[in-house]
Amino acid sequence: MSAPQTIPTIHPQAELQETAFMSGILRQRSLMLASENIDLKERIKALEATEKTLQAQIEHFQAQLAEHGERGNGDQT
């Protein structure tokens, strides 16, 4: 016959250590995602500022074109 099998005993602190380890991993991942989120928000703000600047330039150039168009049309006889 075979030797009797023993069921290994799990130390009471083992589950707590595993839980703490997993909690640490989840916390680290959460912090990484929060950091990425902050970076993305900053990039969005920068892009929005660039968009506003470009829109203002477009409007300025459109006004100049309209002004030059009026002058050009007025000079034709």
Side-chain angles (χ1 to χ4, degrees):
M1 302 232 170
S2 63
Q5 292 183 342
T6 58
I7 299 173
T9 57
I10 297 174
H11 193 281
Q13 294 295 315
E15 188 173 347
L16 290 175
Q17 287 179 357
E18 180 186 23
T19 301
F21 177 75
M22 291 303 294
S23 176
I25 290 174
L26 292 174
R27 183 173 186 277
Q28 182 180 21
R29 182 66 181 144
S30 178
L31 290 172
M32 289 171 56
L33 290 172
S35 179
E36 288 177 21
N37 191 27
I38 290 168
D39 288 343
L40 289 172
K41 285 181 180 181
E42 289 173 355
R43 285 179 58 196
I44 288 169
K45 284 182 183 179
L47 289 171
E48 287 174 341
T50 301
E51 179 187 22
K52 285 181 182 180
T53 300
L54 292 173
Q55 187 61 40
Q57 288 177 348
I58 289 169
E59 291 170 5
H60 174 73
F61 292 138
Q62 285 175 334
Q64 283 184 331
L65 285 173
E67 185 179 317
H68 289 295
E70 289 174 10
R71 286 185 194 164
N73 289 338
D75 290 342
Q76 294 176 356
T77 53

